[in-house]
């Protein structure tokens, strides 16, 4: 499935490669590698999930069940002189995979 940049999307799983300092370097999505442009500012922040609305109990020692992590990164397909797109990435609490929230 290919998503046009004009079409917002949510929930598609993506693989993200990070630098040793924790900054995104590349995104694998829809069979392509998208390289993050290191010269353009990326944004990174956390919001809080209302876990009690989804789960009634959380086991002691489960870990952080409230922090939703976001990255807003500019990227283009590798090996191409293509137009730069902005990826909004999200990782839910305790999730192992990143989700594509939107491409613009």
């Amino acid at each position: 499935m290919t998503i046009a940049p004009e079409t917002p999307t949510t929930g598609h799983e993506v693989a993200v490669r990070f630098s040793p300092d924790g900054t995104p370097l590349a995104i694998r999505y829809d069979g392509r590698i998208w390289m993050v442009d290191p010269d353009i500012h990326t944004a990174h922040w956390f919001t809080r999930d209302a876990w009690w609305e989804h789960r009634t109990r959380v086991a002691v020692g489960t870990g952080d069940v409230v922090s939703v992590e976001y990255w807003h990164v500019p990227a283009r397909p590798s090996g191409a002189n293509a137009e730069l797109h902005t990826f909004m990435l999200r990782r839910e609490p305790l999730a192992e995979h990143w989700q594509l929230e939107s491409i613009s």
Side-chain angles (χ1 to χ4, degrees), residues 3-65:
I3 296 176
E6 307 81 35
T7 308
T9 184
T10 58
H12 296 282
E13 189 174 300
V14 294
V16 183
R17 185 177 345 142
F18 290 90
S19 69
D21 70 355
T23 304
L25 295 172
I27 302 162
R28 179 182 293 274
Y29 171 68
D30 197 27
R32 300 172 85 178
I33 302 290
W34 296 73
M35 301 304 296
V36 175
D37 189 323
D39 298 326
I40 299 179
H41 175 71
T42 60
H44 182 224
W45 70 96
F46 291 86
T47 62
R48 299 292 182 208
D49 179 44
W51 64 267
W52 54 90
E53 293 177 3
H54 311 288
R55 300 179 285 283
T56 57
R57 302 176 67 110
V58 175
V60 173
T62 300
D64 183 352
V65 296

Side-chain angles (χ1 to χ4, degrees), residues 54-90:
H54 311 288
R55 300 179 285 283
T56 57
R57 302 176 67 110
V58 175
V60 173
T62 300
D64 183 352
V65 296
V66 297
S67 295
V68 180
E69 186 174 7
Y70 288 89
W71 277 98
H72 191 254
V73 296
R76 63 175 45 99
S78 66
N81 235 357
E83 181 181 346
L84 197 64
H85 299 307
T86 302
F87 283 69
M88 177 73 74
L89 306 173
R90 179 186 78 240

